[in-house]
């Protein structure tokens, strides 16, 4: 009887603890994704001077229970910072924006600085960089050129885990079977011409203080690059490869693994990052403010065979739109004056 009572008391205690943990989580996580300039490829489909987000990144986060707010990189820097301070974390997506001279870079720098500041103040604030986002975080942190060329575009390979991977936050809850699949199966798709070499990483003290290397890989020429990292002090994460594509991109021109194990890997990374965001309690001033900024307010178009992305969200440069509007107003006023 005493054992039964003890079991009941233990069960009640565990339920209480579980409820306490649940109450401490943000059950409506909102994540920002930074936009980047559209390339010439998109110009028949989208207005001039637009930025975009591939919808696969949006679906990646929504699948795990998050809402998405685009961080439109052509906004004024103060507006970018205001929105970044209200979301619960930021995803730096892949793409082709240049370092140091693009609105994507500028917005990423703001996101990084805000994230460091908030974490230093005790506010849990995660970042996740994928492909270009991974490289951008390394360039920002290193404060010098930290990337070099690799023959690794359209290369689907296993991960070469370091010993730190098995103790990491990112992989500790992954099943043994899934870890083994990542070790031996061609699951992780690399779509990059640039990357961070192991030598470059080891020679930069700032990078070594910021990140633990969880995996590396070899390109087609046998050159080693860093492929997965995790922040030591901060909840910052990065993959040089694309976890989002396994479920949400279907171009026949990329060697994407759509198998059930690859799908589970995508789900693991999405769930992990959104759960990190649930630890942040930032909020928008009102429901109206949040709703006005959500991704669903923006145009979603089909890639129509001109892009590797199935669908993309398009965001027009508001500065350009204002200039265009003013020019149109001048034309209208001119016509009125001439009548």
């Amino acid at each position: 009887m005493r054992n039964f009572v003890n079991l009941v008391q233990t069960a009640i205690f565990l339920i209480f603890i579980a409820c306490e943990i649940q109450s401490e989580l943000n059950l409506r996580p909102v994540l920002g994704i930074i936009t980047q300039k559209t390339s010439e490829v998109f110009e028949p489909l989208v207005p001039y001077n637009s930025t975009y987000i591939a919808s696969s990144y949006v679906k990646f986060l929504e699948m795990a229970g998050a809402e998405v707010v685009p961080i439109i990189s052509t906004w004024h820097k103060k507006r970018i910072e205001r929105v970044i301070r209200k979301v619960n974390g930021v995803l730096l997506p892949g793409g082709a924006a240049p370092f140091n001279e693009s609105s994507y870079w500028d917005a990423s720098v703001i996101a990084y600085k805000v994230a460091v500041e908030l974490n230093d103040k005790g506010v849990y604030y995660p970042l996740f960089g994928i492909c270009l986002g991974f490289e951008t975080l390394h360039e920002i942190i290193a404060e010098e050129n930290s990337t070099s060329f690799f023959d690794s575009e359209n290369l689907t390979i296993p991960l070469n885990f370091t010993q730190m991977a098995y103790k990491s936050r990112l992989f500790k809850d992954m099943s043994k079977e899934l870890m083994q699949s990542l070790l031996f199966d061609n699951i992780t798709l690399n779509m990059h011409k640039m990357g961070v070499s192991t030598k470059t990483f080891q020679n930069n003290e700032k990078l070594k203080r910021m990140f633990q290397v969880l995996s590396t890989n070899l390109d087609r020429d046998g050159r080693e690059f860093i492929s997965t990292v995790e922040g030591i002090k901060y909840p910052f994460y990065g993959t040089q490869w694309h976890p989002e594509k396994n479920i949400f991109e279907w171009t026949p021109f990329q060697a994407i693994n759509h198998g059930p194990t690859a799908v589970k890997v995508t789900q693991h990374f999405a769930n992990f990052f959104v759960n990190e965001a649930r630890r942040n309690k930032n909020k928008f001033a009102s429901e109206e403010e949040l709703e006005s900024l959500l991704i669903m307010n923006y145009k979603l178009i089909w890639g129509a065979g001109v892009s590797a992305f199935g669908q993309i969200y398009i965001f027009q440069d508001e500065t350009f739109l204002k200039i265009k509007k003013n020019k149109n107003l001048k034309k209208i006023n001119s016509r009125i004056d001439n009548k």
Side-chain angles (χ1 to χ4, degrees):
M1 185 66 181
R2 185 177 295 173
N3 288 339
F4 176 75
V5 171
N6 289 338
L7 284 172
V8 171
Q9 289 174 337
T10 301
I12 292 171
F13 175 75
L14 291 173
I15 292 169
F16 174 78
I17 294 297
C19 291
E20 284 293 302
I21 292 171
Q22 184 86 339
S23 67
E24 291 175 5
L25 294 177
N26 175 1
L27 299 182
R28 191 182 181 181
V30 180
L31 284 159
I33 303 179
I34 296 174
T35 73
Q36 60 190 287
K37 182 78 171 66
T38 54
S39 67
E40 293 177 359
V41 168
F42 295 112
E43 284 187 5
L45 300 174
V46 302
Y48 171 78
N49 227 30
S50 300
T51 61
Y52 78 95
I53 296 172
S55 69
S56 49
Y57 292 105
V58 177
K59 295 172 184 176
F60 177 68
L61 299 179
E62 290 180 338
M63 170 183 69
E67 292 182 285
V68 172
V69 166
I71 308 297
I72 300 177
S73 57
T74 53
W75 283 342
H76 190 281
K77 289 182 180 180
K78 288 185 178 178
R79 185 180 184 190
I80 290 173
E81 182 175 342
R82 281 199 301 271
V83 175
I84 286 173
R85 289 182 179 277
K86 293 180 179 181
V87 296
N88 307 121
V90 174
L91 173 67
L92 285 64
F99 299 129
N100 299 310
E101 53 183 37
S102 67
S103 58
Y104 173 91
W105 168 269
D106 294 338
S108 298
V109 170
I110 294 169
Y112 172 75
K113 289 181 176 179
V114 169
V116 168
E117 176 203 325
L118 292 178
N119 279 290
D120 284 344
K121 291 179 178 178
V123 178
Y124 201 84
Y125 194 101
L127 296 178
F128 188 9
I130 296 176
C131 197
L132 175 66
F134 174 96
E135 296 161 17
T136 299
L137 283 176
H138 281 76
E139 290 274 332
I140 293 169
I141 293 161
E143 296 183 344
E144 62 183 23
N145 181 24
S146 61
T147 57
S148 53
F149 287 99
F150 288 89
D151 184 3
S152 48
E153 190 168 16
N154 204 17
L155 182 64
T156 305
I157 47 182
L159 294 178
N160 300 324
F161 285 125
T162 66
Q163 287 300 313
M164 296 308 301
Y166 301 96
K167 304 174 185 177
S168 68
R169 301 185 298 277
L170 195 51
F171 290 111
K172 71 175 183 179
D173 292 329
M174 182 177 277
S175 70
K176 189 178 293 184
E177 292 75 20
L178 209 52
M179 288 285 280
Q180 287 176 339
S181 294
L182 279 171
L183 267 172
F184 298 110
D185 299 335
N186 294 330
I187 287 177
T188 64
L189 173 66
N190 291 269
M191 288 298 301
H192 56 99
K193 295 179 181 178
M194 305 295 290
V196 181
S197 72
T198 306
K199 182 178 178 181
T200 297
F201 186 94
Q202 293 300 332
N203 287 338
N204 189 289
E205 292 299 322
K206 291 173 183 174
L207 290 177
K208 287 197 296 183
R209 284 197 300 269
M210 176 59 69
F211 289 127
Q212 291 182 141
V213 176
L214 306 186
S215 74
T216 62
N217 279 104
L218 301 179
D219 75 352
R220 292 183 180 92
D221 297 324
R223 297 183 63 231
E224 189 175 51
F225 60 88
I226 308 295
S227 53
T228 311
V229 296
E230 174 177 284
I232 296 171
K233 178 182 177 182
Y234 301 110
F236 299 168
Y237 307 91
T239 59
Q240 181 68 83
W241 49 282
H242 287 269
E244 81 291 347
K245 285 181 180 282
N246 295 345
I247 297 181
F248 299 114
E249 295 293 357
W250 293 91
T251 174
F253 304 109
Q254 293 179 358
I256 305 169
N257 187 330
H258 294 110
T261 304
V263 167
K264 289 179 182 178
V265 168
T266 298
Q267 292 168 334
H268 173 86
F269 276 82
N271 289 336
F272 176 84
F273 186 55
V274 171
N275 282 336
E276 289 286 275
R278 288 189 173 100
R279 298 177 63 179
N280 177 280
K281 296 294 185 69
N282 291 352
K283 287 186 178 180
F284 287 83
S286 65
E287 180 71 17
E288 290 73 23
E289 182 188 18
L290 170 59
E291 288 181 354
S292 71
L293 291 168
L294 288 172
I295 193 83
M296 61 189 69
N297 289 291
Y298 296 91
K299 187 176 182 181
L300 179 64
I301 68 168
W302 174 48
V306 303
S307 165
F309 303 119
Q311 294 175 308
I312 57 173
Y313 285 93
I314 296 299
F315 313 91
Q316 285 186 260
D317 183 346
E318 293 183 0
T319 304
F320 172 75
L321 290 175
K322 286 176 183 176
I323 292 170
K324 188 176 179 181
K325 182 179 179 182
N326 288 338
K327 284 183 178 179
N328 289 337
L329 284 173
K330 285 179 182 178
K331 286 180 182 178
I332 293 168
N333 290 333
S334 176
R335 288 173 191 160
I336 293 171
D337 290 340
N338 291 330
K339 283 185 177 180

